[in-house]
Amino acid sequence: MFPSIISPIFQHSRGTSMKQTPGDENYAELREGVRALCRQFDGAYWQKVDEARGYPDEFVQALTRAGWLSALIPEQYGGSGLSVTEASIVLEEISRSGAFAGAVHGQMYVMGCVLRHASEEQKRSYLPRIASGELRMQSMAVTEPAAGTDTTKLRTVAAKKGNRYVINGQKVFISRVRHSDLLLLLARTTPIDRVAKKSEGLSVFIVDLREAVGKGLTVKPIRNMANQETNELFFDNLEIPAVNLVGEEGKGLRYILDGLNAERILIAAECVGDGYWFIDKATAYAKDRVVFDRPIGQNQGIQFPIARAYANVQAADLMRYKAAALFDAGKPCGAEANMSLLLGANASWEAANACLQTHGGYGFAAEYSIERKFRETRLYQVAPISTNLILSYIGEHVLGMPRSF
Ligand SMILES: Cc1cc2nc3c(=O)[nH]c(=O)nc-3n(C[C@H](O)[C@H](O)[C@H](O)COP(=O)(O)OP(=O)(O)OC[C@H]3O[C@@H](n4cnc5c(N)ncnc54)[C@H](O)[C@@H]3O)c2cc1C
């Protein structure tokens, strides 16, 4: 006979018993602040959002009000002016609470491109309103169906016409567009056969979605495994003001790549948070669940996968801190940022598998949140960048092996 899924015997198995992690001692206050907010949004809240394929609006608003999503906006523009290390802890704690950080992380880092490359006028116009929550800028449109990972081959074009740019093309898997006011768009402004290097001739634009949707921009939602609000975008002669160009025409790919180290580190921290969440759940359940008259955790076949995953999450956590410290010191951190995401994505996925297996059938019951987090953390093997491409970066750019593309 199966025990009732809501049996009180298992209720306390679902509580977390958080272990000390490498950065805990330095950021206890920050961690506790984020944890306190996240406690208001429990597993039932996230289950409801997931089942409705909805968006966690109340959660995003609460984070915005508390100032966590403006972590990386400098104080002079109304933000909290935190370091990448601190911002990564915010996202780690969000994931570790059982929430889905993928629904909110864009608001934290997409504006980085504006911060680093936009004119002072653009910064003053957008950043304070993003920091206050008046404007949401949490979408960045790079991926295209034909180009895939080979970004230089993207086909969306922006043609200058007087004081406007006219945009035509298509994007795919562009997240949070239906919950964003502004979109950062990467489009080609000079044809690939007229540039010296294929990475040149691409430009970044700020698209005001409130004006664009229905007037040259069509948004088609993509139903997907992780309840990520993600979409196809169709640009059909969309006109935007020329002043919405960010920085110099033709340098857009460099601007986007500039922001990727921060993105990699922040998402690595989310993976670390997921990893600890899975390990806390698995450990608690392994201690409680009695089969063959003893806790299942007494069997090394149950213990070892959880212990191994824990070791790997800790290793990923350390690489995250190393990468973030280099970033905050203004030092090169491409290798560490990429490795932190690779290790984080692998470790959280390993922990997810161990946790699901430890829970047996109950791992598949939505009420336990494990199957939801399992789907969510799987995403980081593919997006924002596939782990294959990180391996390729390490092989070619760090270890100097021959280029494969
Ligand atoms: C839920 C979700 C949200 C997303 N959100 C955004 C977003 O907001 N903005 C955005 O711009 N994009 C977004 N993406 C897109 C994401 O970044 C891409 O899906 C990802 O970079 C992989 O590109 P692709 O799907 O075109 O795969 P492809 O390029 O078609 O590759 C398919 C597979 O082949 C592998 N591969 C390709 N070439 C090589 C090679 N040379 N060596 C080894 N392996 C290779 C890839 O690693 C991948 O595993 C999102 C994707 C998803 C699923």
Side-chain angles (χ1 to χ4, degrees):
M1 202 171 92
F2 296 106
S4 155
I5 280 175
I6 51 159
S7 160
I9 298 171
F10 299 107
Q11 290 294 334
H12 69 286
S13 302
R14 283 168 248 161
T16 52
S17 59
M18 289 185 174
K19 281 159 211 70
Q20 190 78 3
T21 55
D24 270 0
E25 59 286 9
N26 298 327
Y27 301 100
E29 212 175 307
L30 173 62
R31 285 183 188 282
E32 191 38 51
V34 184
R35 279 177 195 170
L37 187 149
C38 291
R39 272 197 288 273
Q40 299 164 37
F41 300 88
D42 59 7
Y45 170 81
W46 287 99
Q47 195 188 328
K48 218 163 119 192
V49 171
D50 187 55
E51 276 171 12
R53 297 199 163 258
Y55 185 76
D57 250 320
E58 308 78 3
F59 181 66
V60 176
Q61 276 164 22
L63 283 174
T64 308
R65 275 196 304 274
W68 300 124
L69 294 184
S70 66
L72 293 174
I73 299 180
E75 283 170 317
Q76 69 182 109
Y77 298 112
S80 315
L82 300 183
S83 63
V84 162
T85 304
E86 291 163 312
S88 79
I89 286 168
V90 173
L91 289 174
E92 178 197 335
E93 287 298 335
I94 291 173
S95 286
R96 196 173 178 170
S97 77
F100 180 35
V104 302
H105 59 203
Q107 178 80 357
M108 200 184 262
Y109 60 70
V110 170
M111 62 76 218
C113 185
V114 174
L115 183 63
R116 280 184 300 276
H117 302 292
S119 66
E120 193 52 39
E121 203 182 333
Q122 285 170 322
K123 288 188 211 176
R124 286 188 193 286
S125 158
Y126 293 116
L127 294 176
R129 289 189 290 157
I130 294 171
S132 72
E134 186 189 331
L135 281 180
R136 277 189 191 163
M137 179 188 250
Q138 53 176 350
S139 293
M140 183 166 71
V142 175
T143 307
E144 294 193 2
T149 308
D150 188 359
T151 306
T152 59
K153 301 272 174 55
L154 60 77
R155 294 179 186 174
T156 298
V157 291
K160 187 110 186 260
K161 192 172 129 195
N163 62 355
R164 324 278 292 166
Y165 277 95
V166 183
I167 298 164
N168 281 288
Q170 190 182 342
K171 297 278 177 186
V172 70
F173 295 120
I174 308 308
S175 299
R176 299 168 296 271
V177 175
R178 284 169 281 139
H179 295 89
S180 198
D181 302 303
L182 305 170
L183 165 85
L184 269 193
L185 171 74
L186 185 66
R188 192 159 272 292
T189 38
T190 308
I192 196 161
D193 55 6
R194 280 204 254 138
V195 288
K197 280 163 66 182
K198 59 184 181 173
S199 56
E200 291 168 359
L202 295 160
S203 304
V204 173
F205 299 92
I206 297 169
V207 175
D208 191 326
L209 291 161
R210 298 164 301 178
E211 290 169 11
V213 175
K215 294 179 201 142
L217 171 60
T218 305
V219 179
K220 195 171 158 216
I222 302 173
R223 190 182 153 100
N224 65 89
M225 170 177 164
N227 189 32
Q228 177 84 301
E229 190 252 88
T230 199
N231 308 276
E232 279 181 284
L233 304 184
F234 300 90
F235 297 91
D236 182 12
N237 288 319
L238 171 71
E239 293 199 12
I240 60 167
V243 290
N244 287 18
L245 173 73
V246 175
E248 275 182 60
E249 201 183 276
K251 302 228 164 104
L253 185 60
R254 183 165 68 71
Y255 298 161
I256 296 284
L257 293 177
D258 264 4
L260 292 187
N261 286 338
E263 184 195 65
R264 304 271 191 270
I265 297 166
L266 293 171
I267 295 182
E270 288 179 36
C271 292
V272 165
D274 277 346
Y276 286 130
W277 184 89
F278 285 118
I279 284 160
D280 285 340
K281 290 275 181 205
T283 308
Y285 194 77
K287 288 179 193 167
D288 272 11
R289 171 70 165 158
V290 174
V291 182
F292 296 113
D293 302 321
R294 60 183 185 171
I296 56 169
Q298 208 173 330
N299 303 301
Q300 290 184 323
I302 290 288
Q303 263 181 31
F304 285 5
I306 303 171
R308 185 182 294 277
Y310 180 62
N312 286 332
V313 173
Q314 286 258 323
D317 201 356
L318 290 172
M319 183 57 82
R320 174 277 290 259
Y321 280 111
K322 181 175 180 188
L326 288 170
F327 187 101
D328 289 331
K331 294 188 178 156
C333 64
E336 289 78 5
N338 275 288
M339 288 190 290
S340 71
L341 180 54
L342 175 75
L343 297 176
N346 287 346
S348 69
W349 180 233
E350 184 185 6
N353 261 320
C355 185
L356 187 71
Q357 194 69 19
T358 301
H359 279 76
Y362 296 93
F364 291 79
E367 186 192 340
Y368 282 64
S369 298
I370 292 162
E371 60 84 33
R372 171 179 60 80
K373 292 283 278 182
F374 184 89
R375 291 183 272 117
E376 289 166 358
T377 215
R378 182 63 178 81
L379 176 63
Y380 300 127
Q381 295 280 336
V382 171
I385 183 169
S386 111
T387 43
N388 271 4
L389 269 290
I390 298 183
L391 290 169
S392 152
Y393 174 86
I394 297 169
E396 295 173 11
H397 296 278
V398 181
L399 301 176
M401 289 190 274
R403 294 195 68 148
S404 68
F405 53 86

